[in-house]
Amino acid sequence: GEVFEWQPKKNPWEGNAPDAVPELTEEQQQALEAYRAQQAAKKKGRAPAAEGEAEPEEEAIEAKSYFHGKSERDYAGRSWIEPPKDRKKENETCYIPKRLVRTFAGHQKGVNAIRFFPEKGHLLLSAGLDGKVKIWDVHSGKAMRTYFGHSRGVRDICFSADGRRFLSTSYDKKLRLWDTETGQVISTLTTGHVPFCGKLHPTQQNVVLAGMQNKKVVQWDLDTGDLVQEYCEHQGAVNTITFVDEGRRFVSSSDDKTLRVWEFGIPVQIKYIADPSMHSMPSVCVHPEKDFMVCQSLDNRVVTYSTKEKFRLQPKKNFRGHNVSGYACQVNFSPDGRFVMSGDAEGRCFFWDWRTTRMFRKLRAHEGVCIGCEWHPLETSKVATCGWDGAIKYWD
């Protein structure tokens, strides 16, 4: 028989002249050039301004701070951030607040986070979506200082252990370390990506960790300003960083619906917690006795993990009843560890009993989302909440 020879099929378009490329009009040509310039500038790390426009405000914003009080020192020469000398813990047991004491008004847009001054609680720091950070005197309800340094909303704030400095994390891709008292910016950190959370290390106060939108956790040394470590394992934007085991380890949670545990300083995960039934956990808080942590899970529960070696899920300790799906509502503990609290998407604030997981009380706190809640560290029945209606409320 004769050998069958395979011949490639003829291309149906063979022999046809290619289509003529249409000429671009003047406008299209200009638009294309502008787009290419923009892409080139983006590669360099910043967007150029269009003709006749000012430089974008990311460049222009200069950090400033205003003091709103009467004077920065009192009659005895003490600074305004000094805590009153007579502040002591009244008693150990915490009680659930019942009524509104006062409202702190001053943010133009929503308030994303609030933090009490560490251990004393006489001042309250708040991060606004208007790009401002304000600090309030808790007793008078007056704003003491405003810190302008971000051109977009502020996502997260974190006090240093002594409260003398704080870190603000913003959607303008910058983290700034401020001096609480003078309002000076001590340093500005950026990688060119949006940071979602920023934390100062609990014992080494010159170390900053930030969870980024580009799936990394990055670590800076504030003394040199250098980026010293990157922890890359997550498959989604990193939402929270929580130190456990006295700062030797930290837990990161992410949009990839996992929790990962890291040894501090070593970029290899030591534990990876993932389960098909898990949801994203945009807020994590450690119990005051340090042996458990609770996570706000977006399927409308608060779930509990142990912080010991195994990081085991505690299936009996689920707190339900609130509605948070889609919002990063903060979850928190009372200082004595008896109550768990959380905001919710409908502006309520919920309190559960830690031991029995029973719901104790819910307060109608805000119009819109109640995004943050913090228990006063010394006064045992006082709670502050903040919401996207721009109000911060103080309850007793």
Side-chain angles (χ1 to χ4, degrees):
E2 61 193 70
V3 179
F4 173 74
E5 198 176 330
W6 182 77
Q7 282 172 339
K9 208 162 161 193
K10 209 172 139 202
N11 182 349
W13 288 279
E14 213 172 328
N16 294 359
D19 291 347
V21 178
E23 282 293 305
L24 294 178
T25 63
E26 283 278 277
E27 273 173 40
Q28 287 171 326
Q29 193 64 39
Q30 278 170 2
L32 185 65
E33 274 158 18
Y35 174 73
R36 284 189 179 142
Q38 193 182 348
Q39 293 307 88
K42 235 184 205 165
K43 276 202 175 125
K44 280 191 193 143
R46 50 173 257 198
E51 295 164 66
E53 248 179 34
E55 278 291 294
E57 111 176 280
E58 263 86 335
E59 292 298 310
I61 193 149
E62 167 202 3
K64 351 185 240 300
S65 175
Y66 298 111
F67 184 69
H68 305 300
K70 288 209 176 76
S71 76
E72 302 210 11
R73 308 230 157 242
D74 67 358
Y75 64 92
R78 288 189 296 261
S79 160
W80 63 274
I81 71 165
E82 291 291 328
K85 287 277 184 287
D86 54 352
R87 300 301 305 285
K88 292 193 186 54
K89 208 159 190 174
E90 290 144 13
N91 53 8
E92 288 304 318
T93 49
C94 291
Y95 300 98
I96 295 205
K98 296 188 177 73
R99 65 191 177 90
L100 182 61
V101 183
R102 67 173 59 89
T103 303
F104 305 94
H107 281 286
Q108 262 72 52
K109 294 184 183 167
V111 182
N112 227 2
I114 46 175
R115 302 280 181 266
F116 276 110
F117 194 89
E119 289 170 21
K120 297 289 187 255
H122 60 297
L123 297 169
L124 178 70
L125 190 69
S126 65
L129 290 171
D130 49 6
K132 300 189 187 87
V133 178
K134 285 178 180 283
I135 192 161
W136 310 79
D137 184 331
V138 172
H139 295 287
S140 65
K142 292 193 176 70
M144 296 302 285
R145 213 178 233 298
T146 305
Y147 308 87
F148 300 91
H150 293 292
S151 56
R152 301 255 174 96
V154 184
R155 159 92 192 209
D156 192 19
I157 40 179
C158 172
F159 265 120
S160 65
D162 58 0
R164 297 265 162 202
R165 303 176 304 162
F166 69 88
L167 184 72
S168 63
T169 307
S170 163
Y171 290 112
D172 64 1
K173 305 182 182 170
K174 293 189 182 67
L175 295 101
R176 287 186 189 264
L177 185 73
W178 302 81
D179 185 307
T180 314
E181 185 179 355
T182 62
Q184 300 289 312
V185 174
I186 301 168
S187 64
T188 303
L189 311 165
T190 180
T191 62
H193 293 276
V194 178
F196 275 0
C197 56
K199 275 271 165 67
L200 287 152
H201 189 280
T203 51
Q204 307 169 30
Q205 294 279 294
N206 60 339
V207 173
V208 166
L209 281 181
M212 309 300 279
Q213 193 178 18
N214 66 339
K215 312 173 194 175
K216 292 180 180 160
V217 176
V218 292
Q219 177 184 330
W220 279 281
D221 184 336
L222 288 173
D223 299 342
T224 59
D226 295 342
L227 205 159
V228 289
Q229 190 60 275
E230 287 190 344
Y231 305 82
C232 327
E233 290 278 353
H234 276 295
Q235 315 284 313
V238 181
N239 288 326
T240 66
I241 293 170
T242 311
F243 285 99
V244 294
D245 197 14
E246 286 154 17
R248 286 192 285 273
R249 299 185 170 165
F250 64 92
V251 183
S252 59
S253 74
S254 151
D255 286 348
D256 63 7
K257 305 184 180 164
T258 62
L259 292 173
R260 293 172 201 249
V261 186
W262 314 77
E263 288 281 347
F264 174 68
I266 303 171
V268 182
Q269 61 185 25
I270 56 173
K271 182 99 176 111
Y272 162 74
I273 305 166
D275 184 69
S277 66
M278 272 169 71
H279 284 249
S280 185
M281 298 183 183
S283 170
V284 179
C285 180
V286 178
H287 190 275
E289 282 159 15
K290 307 274 190 280
D291 43 2
F292 292 102
M293 59 183 191
V294 291
C295 313
Q296 182 77 268
S297 173
L298 286 186
D299 56 349
N300 297 337
R301 319 182 280 164
V302 175
V303 293
T304 310
Y305 288 89
S306 83
T307 55
K308 297 279 172 280
E309 284 303 304
K310 290 272 199 299
F311 286 90
R312 218 176 243 135
L313 176 68
Q314 310 292 318
K316 295 243 167 63
K317 279 223 186 296
N318 277 337
F319 303 89
R320 304 167 176 276
H322 59 323
N323 172 21
V324 285
S325 48
Y327 295 95
C329 297
Q330 187 187 355
V331 59
N332 221 322
F333 278 105
S334 63
D336 64 354
R338 280 175 57 215
F339 299 113
V340 181
M341 67 171 167
S342 161
D344 101 327
E346 288 145 36
R348 299 170 300 186
C349 186
F350 283 77
F351 297 89
W352 294 273
D353 187 318
W354 164 247
R355 230 185 58 247
T356 63
T357 73
R358 214 178 73 230
M359 190 198 300
F360 230 81
R361 180 169 298 151
K362 51 184 187 233
L363 298 171
R364 284 240 29 94
H366 294 273
E367 307 292 321
V369 190
C370 173
I371 198 83
C373 51
E374 245 337 63
W375 210 291
H376 194 292
L378 288 184
E379 298 188 28
T380 48
S381 67
K382 303 268 204 304
V383 166
T385 61
C386 68
W388 284 357
D389 53 359
I392 301 164
K393 296 190 178 178
Y394 189 49
W395 306 82
D396 178 13

